[in-house]
Amino acid sequence: MDDNEDLDYVEEDYYATLNLPRSATQEEISKAYRNLSKIFHPDKHGNGENKQKAELMFNRTKKAYEVLSDPHQRAIYDSLGVKGLETEGWEIVHRTKTPNEIREEYERLAQEREERRLQQKTNPRGNISVHINATDFFSRYDDEYYDTGLLPSIEVSGMSMSQSIEAPLSRTEIATLSGSLHLQNGVGSGNFLLSGKRLINKGWFEVDCGAGNGPVLGAKGSRNLTNRIFLTGGTTFHFRPNAIIPGLSGTMAIQLDKNTLGYLTYNAGLQSSMSTVVERNMEKYHCNLTITLGIPHCYIAAAYTRKLLEQGLKLRVALKGGTFGFLSECGAEKKVSKYSSVSATVCVGVPSGVTLKIKVVRSTQTYLFPIHLCEEIIPAAVFYATVTPLVTYFVLKKMLFDPMNEATKQKNIERVKETNSARMAEKRREAESAISLMGALFERIRKDELKRQGLIIVSALYGKFSDAENVSLEEADDMGFVHQNPLVIDVRIPLQCLVKDSQLTLYSSSKSELPGFYDPCFGEEKQLKIDYEFRNNSYSSVFSDTDPVRLPIVTNEAEQ
């Protein structure tokens, strides 16, 4: 599937290893390292098995400290993670650069790698449009000499396909080969175009040649005049048997403010026009206004798109009116996976009638299905054009999309588990070693907290569970036999060791990286349930894996 990412190695979270926020100061980093060194330093555990365990945990703690205490390494780690530190050549970066400069440099390199990777995925690009005539559903043609049949007639009235392949010849030169086929009411046409683009100082230049309804030659280019103004223009020549038809186009774009662009476009040729566009693009919405004066039509159009980023949803409304008539559009686009989306748009206008447009985008392929429902504005057609896509989407989501995504997720989890099996086994050994070394510290902190009636961790369970009330380290199978719950681990000791002055603070990162923790159910949503006592009162709290934790959480009445 296009949504699959390359399998990533499960990396260390150095901040979680030291139980620090990502904004920690150098002083906080040093203090956290000193506190953990008191627990895990090998010299404090003799020469037996405990010393080997201490060496394992001390080396892990020391590595986290070395990275976070070095501003240069920390800048790279914050931007690219452990892979950034292992990237070949990072050590040749001038040490005179500041951490911010290093971070910006590596963010730029990471973006370039992602763009190259995306460029490989986006070749070739294709579009397929299938025009469907379904007007017989709502306005059947009655003819006593023609048997219309029992079922309405659905016809494919037209189809078009286009494909392009982009081949970078060098860092500044790109060749593109594209072609298209069109079929409408039994009449077909096609064309192909070969383009060569060269990037130049502050712009680009392109030469085109192709054939379709006669040979075509053209040239176009773009240049930045200032930081806020750029020009794009071009000319084409269509060679017909008895004439040469020239075409000319030009656009001037102006950056009106940080989020607003203005365009002034002029086209001359078979269809001449001049248009003005003002476009504003914000994080939560996008809108534009277009005014066009031309031959054969003049019109004004406005569109507004609302972006619901958390839901992966875009809602769009548009109005267009002019000498051709009137058209209104209302639609929604839903992102169903990282590289795939579906959208449905209802178009109501005069004289076009009612049309439903279904679009499916998968990676770099676009499939468009305009379905013409009726030539007049009929309420029933508008209703079904609105309701049918919603019902269809929810049915497909329940029966197709969700099972496919879940199957893909589980498959990826299993592959990552296999790839990182040794790493995960090592994490479990580290957690067990850490707990065995925390015994003395656990008893001392617990004793101090009992004396001051402070924070006592009675029980702490970490892993996957749906019923926090009945979660347990043991569970019964179908035969009634009790065995260890493989999805839950006991973290009472490591949490009590993190208590300082009757307070427990954990930061916004996966708790599986904390000392004494490991991931018992990789790829699943995990929770942390803590039962604790504070000032002789009992409490219970449940947190998601990446939620920050601040204990105690007490009521005003209990504090009094």
Side-chain angles (χ1 to χ4, degrees):
M1 293 179 65
D2 64 332
D3 315 302
N4 291 347
E5 289 295 298
D6 292 341
L7 295 176
D8 289 329
Y9 184 77
V10 179
E11 294 187 337
E12 293 275 3
D13 186 337
Y14 293 143
Y15 289 98
T17 298
L18 301 178
N19 190 28
L20 291 170
R22 300 189 77 85
S23 59
T25 63
Q26 289 295 323
E27 182 180 353
E28 291 172 332
I29 293 171
S30 298
K31 183 178 180 180
Y33 173 63
R34 288 195 301 269
N35 290 336
L36 289 175
S37 295
K38 293 177 182 178
I39 306 174
F40 301 130
H41 199 287
D43 293 345
K44 297 180 179 293
H45 298 279
N47 294 316
E49 182 181 353
N50 280 349
K51 184 171 184 178
Q52 295 179 352
K53 295 178 180 179
E55 288 177 348
L56 181 68
M57 292 304 302
F58 182 72
N59 289 335
R60 178 187 174 195
T61 305
K62 184 179 179 182
K63 178 62 177 176
Y65 171 72
E66 288 175 348
V67 171
L68 298 185
S69 62
D70 185 324
H72 299 276
Q73 293 194 57
R74 184 180 179 183
I76 297 170
Y77 174 73
D78 287 347
S79 298
L80 301 175
V82 176
K83 284 186 177 181
L85 297 170
E86 297 172 350
T87 300
E88 190 174 324
W90 79 268
E91 64 279 357
I92 67 175
V93 175
H94 294 298
R95 289 289 175 170
T96 56
K97 288 191 174 183
T98 66
N100 284 337
E101 289 173 335
I102 293 176
R103 183 180 290 111
E104 291 174 358
E105 176 71 10
Y106 272 83
E107 286 176 350
R108 182 185 65 79
L109 294 175
Q111 183 178 359
E112 288 182 356
R113 286 195 296 270
E114 181 64 24
E115 288 175 351
R116 287 195 297 270
R117 179 182 176 187
L118 183 61
Q119 186 181 35
Q120 294 173 353
K121 290 184 177 181
T122 57
N123 289 321
R125 299 184 180 185
N127 294 275
I128 297 177
S129 297
V130 180
H131 298 264
I132 299 173
N133 187 345
T135 56
D136 204 33
F137 265 98
F138 298 97
S139 54
R140 302 199 66 179
Y141 179 70
D142 296 325
D143 192 334
E144 57 181 328
Y145 300 105
Y146 177 71
D147 184 9
T148 57
L150 296 176
L151 298 176
S153 174
I154 301 178
E155 300 175 348
V156 176
S157 58
M159 180 180 293
S160 62
M161 295 180 291
S162 64
Q163 195 79 15
S164 67
I165 298 176
E166 190 176 276
L169 304 178
S170 67
R171 295 184 64 181
T172 59
E173 296 177 341
I174 302 172
T176 303
L177 178 64
S178 60
S180 62
L181 292 173
H182 307 275
L183 180 65
Q184 188 72 28
N185 296 324
V187 179
S189 63
N191 63 73
F192 78 90
L193 189 69
L194 176 63
S195 305
K197 177 186 287 187
R198 182 180 179 84
L199 303 179
I200 58 177
N201 186 29
K202 296 184 178 181
W204 52 267
F205 181 76
E206 180 176 302
V207 176
D208 306 324
C209 63
N213 188 11
V216 177
L217 294 177
K220 53 188 174 183
S222 177
R223 183 174 179 81
N224 295 338
L225 299 182
T226 68
N227 292 333
R228 299 179 57 187
I229 302 175
F230 70 87
L231 294 177
T232 301
T235 182
T236 58
F237 295 92
H238 295 261
F239 295 87
R240 302 293 173 82
N242 300 318
I244 299 177
I245 303 175
L248 181 67
S249 64
T251 299
M252 180 175 69
I254 303 175
Q255 187 88 37
L256 301 176
D257 62 34
K258 182 179 178 180
N259 304 106
T260 308
L261 278 171
Y263 300 90
L264 180 63
T265 302
Y266 175 75
N267 292 300
L270 290 176
Q271 294 185 346
S272 298
S273 65
M274 177 174 286
S275 63
T276 300
V277 180
V278 178
E279 183 179 88
R280 185 170 180 81
N281 190 14
M282 302 293 289
E283 182 181 0
K284 294 185 178 181
Y285 70 88
H286 174 273
C287 59
N288 62 67
L289 175 67
T290 303
I291 300 175
T292 298
L293 302 175
I295 301 173
H297 292 300
C298 301
Y299 64 87
I300 181 171
Y304 176 84
T305 302
R306 181 69 176 180
K307 304 174 185 177
L308 304 176
L309 301 180
E310 294 184 358
Q311 293 80 14
L313 185 66
K314 294 181 181 179
L315 304 177
R316 180 178 182 272
V317 293
L319 297 173
K320 186 176 181 180
T323 55
F324 65 90
F326 173 80
L327 180 66
S328 64
E329 296 183 358
C330 180
E333 178 181 335
K334 173 67 176 176
K335 189 174 183 180
V336 295
S337 60
K338 184 168 185 179
Y339 298 111
S340 301
S341 64
V342 295
S343 65
T345 302
V346 180
C347 305
V348 179
V350 177
S352 58
V354 181
T355 301
L356 172 63
K357 295 181 180 179
I358 304 294
K359 183 169 72 172
V360 179
V361 177
R362 184 166 179 79
S363 188
T364 59
Q365 303 296 315
T366 301
Y367 306 91
L368 181 62
F369 302 92
I371 306 172
H372 194 190
L373 297 178
C374 62
E375 296 178 352
E376 300 177 352
I377 301 178
I378 300 176
V382 177
F383 174 78
Y384 283 105
T386 304
V387 173
T388 303
L390 293 175
V391 174
T392 303
Y393 169 75
F394 285 112
V395 171
L396 290 177
K397 182 178 185 298
K398 192 69 175 179
M399 300 181 64
L400 182 63
F401 297 149
D402 287 350
M404 287 177 61
N405 290 336
E406 183 63 26
T408 302
K409 176 185 175 182
Q410 293 301 323
K411 183 178 179 181
N412 286 340
I413 289 174
E414 293 302 322
R415 293 175 65 186
V416 175
K417 280 183 179 180
E418 182 178 352
T419 303
N420 296 277
S421 57
R423 169 78 171 79
M424 296 171 68
E426 180 185 357
K427 290 288 293 180
R428 180 168 184 170
R429 289 195 299 270
E430 287 180 357
E432 293 171 349
S433 298
I435 291 175
S436 67
L437 298 171
M438 290 176 176
L441 179 63
F442 168 78
E443 293 296 341
R444 185 172 73 250
I445 292 178
R446 190 171 186 275
K447 184 177 180 180
D448 291 342
E449 294 297 322
L450 283 170
K451 286 182 179 179
R452 67 174 71 173
Q453 296 184 356
L455 181 60
I456 306 296
I457 306 297
V458 178
S459 171
L461 300 178
Y462 174 69
K464 179 184 179 182
F465 48 86
S466 55
D467 185 1
E469 294 293 329
N470 300 317
V471 63
S472 171
L473 289 172
E474 296 180 342
E475 62 179 6
D477 57 21
D478 296 336
M479 300 295 294
F481 295 102
V482 177
H483 57 85
Q484 182 73 22
N485 185 347
L487 304 180
V488 178
I489 59 174
D490 183 356
V491 291
R492 179 175 68 100
I493 292 177
L495 281 187
Q496 186 70 69
C497 290
L498 292 174
V499 173
K500 296 179 182 178
D501 299 327
S502 299
Q503 291 185 337
L504 174 65
T505 302
L506 306 178
Y507 299 96
S508 300
S509 59
S510 176
K511 296 167 182 58
S512 63
E513 294 291 324
L514 290 168
F517 283 64
Y518 68 92
D519 192 340
C521 46
F522 181 82
E524 304 289 348
E525 293 185 2
K526 292 171 282 293
Q527 294 177 295
L528 173 64
K529 182 187 178 185
I530 306 175
D531 297 327
Y532 63 97
E533 293 180 355
F534 182 71
R535 295 181 182 175
N536 296 324
N537 290 289
S538 298
Y539 305 92
S540 180
S541 298
V542 179
F543 306 89
S544 70
D545 188 26
T546 57
D547 277 348
V549 176
R550 299 284 190 274
L551 294 181
I553 302 174
V554 297
T555 63
N556 293 332
E557 181 180 353
E559 288 179 336
Q560 295 173 358

